[in-house]
């Protein structure tokens, strides 16, 4: 059967009284799935309705061979057999199967109309790009100098840019380390503007404002180095602390420590200590006792040591301390660290500097200016001066001043909720196809993609799905958050492509609920030059890997990872500022960033489409909206996806979809996910948690963006499908209280809603009971909202990380 032929199992005789006849005749249809669906509708209109087997209700209108070829006629029979055998059905569970009450809806039907004009890129069958032979001469080595990708001219001054020495960086040792170790010779615009002002010995506090990846870190770091090295009394790490750097995330703090102590290491005269928690406080104390010139940390941990560790006082004194940096300052505000910061300022002033901290310059640093642009005021930087490389005549801090790299290629794909997961697979897959020829001088292909999600549970779920969808292929699990998937698996179609057979995918997950040591190892592995996994360690073969990291916004700020090819915003950002930082992980000025940088944002049809206009305000080039169909076609057209059934008796395992059209492949892929979730209890739990947490997180979109992102606009049942779940949302949202103590109290009337706190100490179980009662009286959708709101109270800080 040809690709676009479809066997349809509908009685066309017009004589049947049973709707879909059990003696259905078979007709053959041509065309794409839309045409096929239209034809089905027309044919169905001609048939009398039935209560017995309502194909629409059972989700049987899907245009795919796997589910529907010859199926309708067998549904009744199958159900009967199942009942008789009393065995669970490992595959299809349909409405009416009372035991499960699950629902298999089709991926391509009942989807909301997309209003935005989308570009459907033509996909040429049988002559697809992925099918092209990758000839040696076709390979495109990444020649940084030649195509000037990393030069990022927008970041340098048009005129002859001054050298670092002209900016006040006089220490030969430092300039040499910059040239030799970091391969940096010419300062960027923000460095030219910022370094002289920071070094100058006046009291002005400073806001360094410049786009992501423009070199802000060295703008404040080099003056700190220079000040340390100018001190003729410098006795190494025990000579006193010159700079304190506060960061919102542990990852960013660890990265800064690595720059100072490893990448730009100029010996014992400049040494940093990092305090980020996640390890024993005792070992941090031990390191502090050795002395430090620069102290880096997250607010909570810094404050903790300031209050309790004696050796800190020994090294932080007004005689040496000159700079207090708040990197990603607006994020520090957003995360509610104001109180900690105020306490830190106070301890520094009163306890470390004897009541006078006038010699300490406060520096705020970010690519965005905070929600209301009043960041400086907010943290008492009353007398600050803004230094910006974004616009020459800029004085006010406003979001409009925040810029995105001109080299970034941003697009958008508007996807109905049911098709989100498959389209994500499609985008990842197509990134491999598009960049598979970009080899480095040693023949390696290392692509890196970051997929941003709204919450930890959703990160876990997507990591589990993509790393676990291997059928009978082996997953090489190095750590619990790293998994490699190789050729021949069902994870992504490109793994079955002959031209990409040497490719493998390494999946990572990163979020704040992981143990710190795992977070550090994962990031280190993802960022290392040859993320070597498993068997490849010993072989001399060139690496062909696509490293895909599923992460929360914990990875959106400040991280300078090498060679990020693609950023995917699978869940929309919580604020427009988050978008700027997420996409800022690519298209950076960096010796290791050898790609222009691409970003794709996923939006749902409907109100979310309006968000495009907001995004377009930030991007110089209009964002192109891609059609999800072309994404799916490109990914799923050329390689048949095999079913992963476990039903060996029925000999279904391993069989390909009967029709190898792209939509059949998409459906088979999705059914594989659904089956896997049905089979594995832990995966089901992960999917359920992922879905519920995603909804909760969605409710936290800020008020000014609620007109685009309001949970009321979402078809929750359809969204459920993108988590591979067949349950209805209400089943997932409300499970009732199974706590025995509460049930007993309920039974014997020991608990009532009006018991005061004095008479009856409310414990968490009693709160559960109150909640249950409240929920019972609500409509299903309101239940979901209420649950989200309740969880929000406790878990608000969890959502973003
Ligand atoms: N003058 C320079 N010439 C070439 N590369 C540079 C220069 N200055 C910094 N870089 C490199 O550019 C990359 C990005 O710099 P950096 O991390 O400081 O950006 P940023 O502005 O702080 O970004 P973000 O806002 O995302 O934190 C780093 O890899 C850094 O080594």
């Amino acid at each position: 059967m040809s690709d676009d032929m479809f066997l349809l199992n509908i009685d066309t005789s017009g004589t049947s009284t049973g709707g879909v006849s059990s003696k259905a005749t078979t007709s053959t249809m041509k065309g794409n799935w839309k045409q096929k669906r239209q034809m089905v509708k027309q044919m169905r209109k001609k048939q009398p309705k039935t209560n017995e087997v309502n194909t629409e209700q059972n989700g049987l209108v899907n245009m795919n061979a796997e589910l529907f070829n010859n199926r309708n006629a067998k549904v009744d029979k199958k159900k009967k057999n199942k009942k008789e055998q009393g065995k669970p059905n490992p595959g299809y569970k349909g409405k009416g199967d009372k035991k499960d009450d699950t629902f298999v809806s089709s991926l391509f039907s009942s989807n909301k109309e997309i209003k935005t004009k989308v570009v459907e890129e033509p996909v040429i069958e049988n002559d697809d790009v992925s099918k092209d032979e990758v000839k040696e001469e076709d390979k495109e080595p990444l020649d940084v100098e030649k195509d000037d990708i990393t030069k990022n001219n927008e970041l340098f001054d048009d005129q002859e840019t001054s050298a670092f020495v002209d900016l006040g960086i006089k220490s030969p040792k430092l300039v040499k380390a910059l040239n030799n170790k970091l391969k940096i010779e010419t300062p960027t615009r923000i460095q030219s503007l910022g370094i002289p002002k920071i070094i100058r010995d006046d009291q002005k506090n400073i806001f360094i404002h410049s786009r992501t990846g423009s070199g802000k870190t060295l703008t404040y770091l080099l003056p700190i180095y220079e000040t340390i090295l100018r001190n003729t009394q410098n006795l190494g790490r025990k000579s006193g602390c010159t700079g304190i750097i506060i960061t919102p995330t542990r990852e960013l703090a660890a990265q800064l420590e690595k720059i100072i102590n490893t990448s730009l290491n100029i010996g014992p005269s400049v040494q940093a200590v990092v305090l980020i928690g996640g390890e024993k406080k005792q070992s941090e104390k031990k390191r502090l006792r050795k002395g430090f010139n620069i102290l880096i940390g997250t607010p909570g941990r810094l404050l903790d040591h300031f209050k309790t560790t004696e050796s800190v006082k020994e090294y932080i004194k007004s005689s040496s301390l000159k700079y207090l940096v708040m990197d990603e300052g607006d994020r520090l505000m957003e995360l509610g660290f104001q109180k900690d910061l105020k306490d830190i300022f106070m301890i520094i002033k009163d306890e470390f500097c004897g009541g006078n901290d006038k010699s300490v310059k406060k520096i705020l640093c970010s690519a965005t200016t905070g929600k209301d642009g009043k960041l400086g005021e907010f943290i008492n930087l009353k007398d600050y001066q803004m230094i910006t490389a974004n616009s020459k005549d800029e004085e006010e801090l406003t979001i409009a001043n925040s810029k995105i790299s001109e080299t970034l290629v941003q697009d958008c794909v508007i996807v109905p909720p049911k098709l989100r997961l498959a389209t994500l697979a499609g985008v990842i897959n197509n990134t491999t196809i598009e960049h598979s020829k970009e080899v480095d001088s040693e023949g390696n292909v290392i692509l890196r993609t970051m997929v941003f999600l709204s919450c930890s549970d959703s990160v876990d779920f997507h990591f589990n799905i993509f790393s676990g969808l291997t059928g009978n292929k082996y997953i090489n699990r190095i750590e619990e958050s790293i998994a490699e998937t190789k050729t021949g698996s069902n994870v992504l179609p490109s793994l079955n492509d002959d031209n990409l057979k040497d490719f493998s995918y390494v999946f990572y997950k990163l979020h704040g609920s992981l143990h710190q040591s795992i977070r550090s190892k994962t990031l280190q592995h993802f960022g290392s030059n040859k993320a070597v996994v498993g068997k490849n360690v010993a072989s001399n073969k060139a690496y062909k890997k696509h490293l895909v990291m599923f992460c929360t916004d914990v990875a959106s700020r400040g991280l300078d990872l090498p060679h990020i090819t693609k950023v995917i915003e699978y869940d929309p950002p919580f604020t427009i500022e988050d978008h700027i930082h997420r996409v800022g992980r690519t298209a950076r000025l960096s010796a290791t960033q050898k790609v222009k940088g691409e970003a794709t944002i996923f939006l749902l049809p409907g109100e979310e489409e309006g968000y495009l206009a907001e995004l377009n305000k930030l991007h110089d080039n209009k964002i192109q909206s891609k059609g999800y169909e072309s994404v799916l076609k490109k990914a799923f057209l050329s390689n048949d996806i095999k079913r992963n059934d476990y039903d060996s008796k029925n000999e279904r395992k391993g069989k390909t979809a009967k029709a190898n059209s792209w939509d059949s492949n998409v459906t088979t892929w999705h059914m594989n996910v659904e089956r896997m979730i049905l089979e594995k209890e832990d995966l089901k739990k992960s999917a359920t948690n992922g879905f519920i947490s995603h909804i909760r997180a969605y409710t936290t979109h800020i008020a000014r963006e609620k007109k685009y992102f309001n949970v009321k606009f979402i078809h929750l049942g359809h969204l459920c499908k993108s988590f591979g779940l067949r349950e209805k949302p209400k089943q997932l949202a409300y499970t009732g209280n199974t706590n025995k103590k509460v049930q007993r109290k309920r039974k014997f009337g020991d608990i009532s809603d009006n018991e005061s706190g004095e008479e009856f100490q409310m414990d968490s179980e009693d709160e559960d009971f109150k909640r249950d009662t409240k929920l019972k009286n609500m409509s299903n959708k309101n239940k979901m909202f209420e649950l989200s709101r309740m969880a929000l109270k406790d878990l608000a800080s969890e959502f973003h990380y």
Side-chain angles (χ1 to χ4, degrees):
M1 184 164 37
S2 75
D3 275 356
D4 58 353
M5 303 271 272
F6 180 71
L7 264 179
L8 195 69
N9 182 26
I10 282 183
D11 187 347
T12 51
S13 66
T15 54
S16 166
T17 51
V20 180
S21 165
S22 58
K23 292 175 196 160
T25 54
T26 305
S27 70
T28 308
M29 290 174 81
K30 281 189 176 185
N32 63 24
W33 66 270
K34 272 186 190 161
Q35 291 161 336
K36 289 169 197 164
R37 172 150 172 73
Q38 264 170 4
M39 286 183 78
V40 172
K41 274 187 176 168
Q42 280 168 9
M43 290 158 99
R44 192 166 284 130
K45 270 185 203 160
K46 289 177 196 165
Q47 296 174 40
K49 284 189 177 166
T50 177
N51 289 332
E52 272 178 46
V53 183
N54 184 333
T55 55
E56 190 78 47
Q57 271 187 3
N58 280 308
L60 299 181
V61 271
N62 192 351
M63 295 292 95
N64 73 83
E66 189 208 15
L67 262 182
F68 308 111
N69 279 351
N70 302 317
R71 233 198 60 80
N72 295 353
K74 292 176 189 166
V75 167
D76 281 345
K77 203 177 161 194
K78 253 190 185 175
K79 273 188 200 165
K80 208 174 149 212
N81 286 346
K82 285 280 168 281
K83 236 180 178 177
E84 279 165 10
Q85 289 163 11
K87 285 180 191 164
N89 182 356
Y92 173 81
K93 304 255 161 92
K95 193 176 178 183
D97 184 342
K98 284 199 178 98
K99 201 173 165 200
D100 297 292
D101 200 19
T102 57
F103 187 87
V104 184
S105 75
S106 70
L107 286 174
F108 293 99
S109 64
S110 315
N111 287 323
K112 210 169 182 176
E113 196 192 328
I114 296 171
K115 300 239 163 57
T116 310
K117 204 170 167 236
V118 296
V119 181
E120 291 286 359
E121 287 170 1
V123 178
I124 310 147
E125 289 183 41
N126 303 327
D127 193 21
D128 189 42
V129 190
S130 64
K131 288 270 180 196
D132 285 347
E133 199 62 41
V134 186
K135 291 178 198 142
E136 271 314 301
E137 61 268 29
D138 285 348
K139 288 181 181 174
E140 295 164 11
L142 289 170
D143 188 338
V144 182
E145 291 305 316
K146 200 177 79 191
D147 51 16
D148 214 15
I149 287 171
T150 58
K151 190 70 185 170
N152 242 320
N153 287 330
E154 53 171 318
L155 297 174
F156 291 85
D157 274 329
D158 304 336
Q159 308 94 2
E160 196 57 24
T161 318
S162 52
F164 281 103
V165 68
D166 303 327
L167 306 175
I169 304 300
K170 302 244 160 74
S171 159
K173 208 174 178 183
L174 180 55
V175 176
K176 203 172 153 199
L178 263 179
N179 296 345
N180 297 347
K181 292 186 174 169
L182 295 187
K183 313 273 177 247
I184 289 176
E185 284 171 4
T186 318
T188 61
R189 189 178 302 136
I190 191 65
Q191 288 162 355
S192 300
L193 292 169
I195 290 172
K197 286 185 180 143
I198 295 172
I199 282 189
R200 200 184 306 152
D201 200 9
D202 59 17
Q203 273 121 55
K204 280 241 172 195
N205 295 324
I206 282 173
F207 187 114
I208 307 167
H209 180 231
S210 175
R211 79 155 178 79
T212 52
S214 58
K216 292 189 290 296
T217 311
L218 287 182
T219 309
Y220 67 74
L221 216 49
L222 293 183
I224 302 179
Y225 268 74
E226 183 65 22
T227 310
I228 296 168
L229 296 169
R230 271 185 202 176
N231 176 8
T232 47
Q233 304 296 307
N234 191 332
L235 305 169
R237 61 195 311 159
K238 289 199 183 275
S239 61
C241 174
T242 302
I244 298 174
I245 305 169
I246 308 173
T247 69
T249 64
R250 294 169 177 182
E251 279 67 21
L252 182 53
Q255 177 178 282
L256 283 167
E257 192 238 13
K258 200 175 156 214
I259 294 173
I260 299 165
N261 291 349
T262 313
S263 321
L264 190 58
N265 186 4
I266 59 166
S269 39
V270 183
Q271 286 298 306
V273 163
V274 65
L275 305 172
I276 52 176
E279 66 172 322
K280 282 190 187 132
K281 228 173 120 187
Q282 278 310 321
S283 48
E284 286 184 341
K285 282 188 176 187
K286 211 167 148 188
R287 278 190 279 127
L288 283 169
R289 278 199 292 274
K290 284 187 190 160
F292 51 90
N293 313 99
I294 301 173
L295 190 61
I296 309 159
T298 45
R301 195 66 162 194
L302 271 177
L303 188 60
D304 191 3
H305 278 286
F306 281 7
K307 284 178 179 167
T308 58
T309 308
E310 276 305 306
S311 52
V312 171
K313 280 185 202 160
E314 208 182 300
Y315 297 110
I316 307 178
K317 293 174 241 142
S318 57
S319 55
S320 63
L321 187 65
K322 298 285 175 253
Y323 303 101
L324 179 55
V325 182
M326 280 146 283
D327 204 347
E328 304 295 344
D330 56 333
R331 190 57 162 180
L332 285 166
M333 301 300 108
E334 278 165 31
L335 294 177
F337 285 126
Q338 295 95 311
K339 169 93 180 48
D340 284 354
L341 287 178
K342 274 185 187 154
D343 290 352
I344 288 175
F345 294 168
M346 213 173 348
I347 293 178
I348 290 177
K349 186 180 171 192
D350 297 341
E351 293 186 32
F352 300 161
C353 299
N356 183 0
D357 65 349
K358 285 213 164 125
S359 58
V360 183
K361 192 176 280 188
K362 291 195 186 99
I363 300 168
L364 234 137
C365 183
S366 186
T368 46
T369 58
K371 279 172 203 153
D372 52 7
K374 289 186 177 168
L375 184 61
E377 256 175 65
F378 200 36
I379 57 160
N380 294 333
L381 279 172
K382 279 184 196 130
D383 197 17
Y384 74 89
Q385 179 183 9
M386 187 165 93
I387 302 170
T388 180
N390 287 353
S391 155
K392 287 208 169 90
D393 40 80
E394 198 177 305
E395 280 169 8
E396 296 243 328
L397 297 174
T398 64
I399 182 67
N401 297 332
S402 302
K403 287 267 180 305
I404 284 174
S405 170
E406 286 164 19
T407 56
L408 179 81
V409 182
Q410 171 81 53
D411 60 35
C412 165
V413 47
I414 297 165
V415 197
K418 284 196 272 184
L419 282 156
R420 269 167 59 81
L421 189 64
T423 310
L424 174 63
V427 172
I428 296 172
N429 185 79
N430 296 348
T431 305
T432 316
I433 295 172
E434 284 153 24
H435 295 275
S436 61
K437 293 181 189 175
E438 293 167 2
V439 291
D440 68 9
S441 54
E442 291 160 27
N444 301 312
V445 188
I446 301 196
L447 307 173
R448 285 187 181 83
T449 292
M450 294 176 83
V451 185
F452 284 97
L453 296 132
S454 61
C455 54
S456 317
D457 286 335
S458 186
V459 167
D460 283 340
F461 167 71
H462 288 90
F463 173 80
N464 290 342
I465 286 300
F466 281 93
S467 59
L469 242 186
T470 49
N472 53 6
K473 291 287 164 187
Y474 176 66
I475 313 169
N476 192 354
R477 241 173 238 279
I478 301 296
E479 292 289 342
E480 72 176 65
S481 58
I482 307 172
E484 182 167 19
T485 304
K486 298 193 179 213
T487 318
S489 81
N490 268 337
V491 174
L492 293 161
S494 57
L495 284 166
N496 291 316
D497 189 317
D498 273 352
N499 294 316
L500 296 167
K501 63 175 178 292
D502 293 336
F503 249 92
S504 65
Y505 285 86
V506 189
F507 295 100
Y508 299 79
K509 65 173 176 178
L510 189 77
H511 57 70
S513 306
L514 292 168
H515 191 275
Q516 187 51 42
S517 67
I518 295 199
R519 274 162 76 169
S520 308
K521 272 188 201 164
T522 306
L523 203 56
Q524 197 188 3
H525 198 282
F526 182 69
S528 71
N529 253 351
K530 285 180 183 165
V532 183
V533 179
K535 290 175 195 164
N536 280 4
V537 177
S539 86
N540 283 329
K541 273 172 117 184
Y543 296 96
K544 294 191 175 169
K545 288 176 194 288
H546 189 165
L547 316 184
V548 182
M549 177 180 275
F550 297 101
C551 55
T552 58
D553 279 319
V554 76
S556 70
R557 293 275 182 153
L559 293 187
D560 187 43
L561 296 159
H563 203 131
I564 303 291
T565 312
K566 182 107 175 174
V567 168
I568 301 173
E569 290 185 273
Y570 184 60
D571 292 338
F574 288 97
T575 64
I576 203 98
E577 289 86 353
D578 287 342
H579 168 72
I580 295 172
H581 290 279
R582 284 171 170 194
V583 299
R585 294 318 98 209
T586 186
R588 297 172 71 77
L589 168 75
S590 157
T592 48
Q593 178 71 53
K594 295 184 171 68
V595 284
K596 269 189 173 174
E598 296 172 0
T600 297
I601 183 165
F602 279 59
L603 295 174
L604 295 173
E607 286 78 2
E608 282 197 9
E609 290 178 61
Y611 194 59
L612 252 182
E614 299 287 331
L615 295 176
N616 269 320
K617 287 181 201 161
L618 292 168
H619 291 263
D620 288 341
N621 304 318
K622 199 166 176 287
I623 298 171
Q624 198 192 56
S625 301
K626 269 191 191 169
Y628 68 87
E629 272 190 33
S630 56
V631 172
L632 290 171
K633 268 184 207 165
K634 185 167 183 174
F636 285 90
L637 182 69
S638 35
N639 289 293
D640 292 344
I641 299 290
K642 288 178 184 165
R643 292 171 60 131
N644 67 345
D645 288 33
Y646 297 98
D647 193 351
S648 57
K649 276 190 187 157
N650 289 349
E651 292 173 355
R652 290 192 304 198
K653 191 172 181 176
K655 280 199 178 175
T656 53
K658 282 176 189 159
N660 58 353
S661 59
W662 64 272
D663 47 332
S664 297
N665 279 328
V666 171
T667 309
T668 308
W669 185 88
H670 211 279
M671 291 295 284
N672 285 346
V673 173
E674 291 177 35
R675 265 194 295 269
M676 207 168 75
I677 289 168
L678 270 180
E679 289 292 317
K680 297 180 181 171
E681 202 46 50
D682 52 343
L683 254 188
K684 172 97 177 277
K685 206 170 159 200
S686 165
T688 311
N689 290 347
F691 170 70
I692 292 181
S693 298
H694 173 76
I695 298 294
R696 283 184 205 150
Y698 201 87
T699 62
T700 68
H701 276 280
I702 56 170
R704 79 168 180 227
E705 288 175 7
K706 274 269 193 291
K707 58 184 176 223
Y708 312 118
F709 306 109
N710 191 326
V711 79
K712 287 182 184 170
F713 304 146
I714 300 180
H715 190 304
L716 296 177
H718 285 189
L719 195 65
C720 234
K721 181 95 173 163
S722 71
F723 284 83
L725 290 162
R726 292 172 175 186
E727 280 73 8
K728 291 172 193 164
K730 69 170 182 186
Q731 288 172 283
L732 301 168
Y734 180 63
T735 47
N737 197 325
T738 51
N739 187 300
K740 284 199 177 119
K741 198 172 157 192
V742 174
Q743 280 174 350
R744 203 175 53 244
K745 281 182 180 169
R746 200 177 290 169
K747 194 174 168 191
F748 295 106
D750 286 347
I751 184 167
S752 70
D753 275 358
N754 58 6
E755 278 168 323
S756 76
E758 278 167 39
E759 288 160 16
F760 189 87
Q761 181 91 43
M762 287 279 281
D763 60 24
S764 63
E765 291 159 354
D766 301 326
E767 276 171 5
D768 280 350
F769 175 55
K770 271 196 155 189
R771 187 194 68 174
D772 286 1
T773 318
K774 194 175 170 191
L775 286 171
K776 267 196 171 163
N777 301 324
M778 284 181 171
S779 73
N780 290 333
K781 199 156 189 179
N782 282 343
K783 250 181 226 168
M784 194 73 185
F785 300 148
E786 188 53 29
L787 275 167
S788 303
R789 262 181 238 122
M790 286 171 175
L792 196 79
K793 261 164 82 188
D794 303 326
L795 298 166
S797 60
E798 251 290 296
F799 295 145
H800 305 294
Y801 294 98

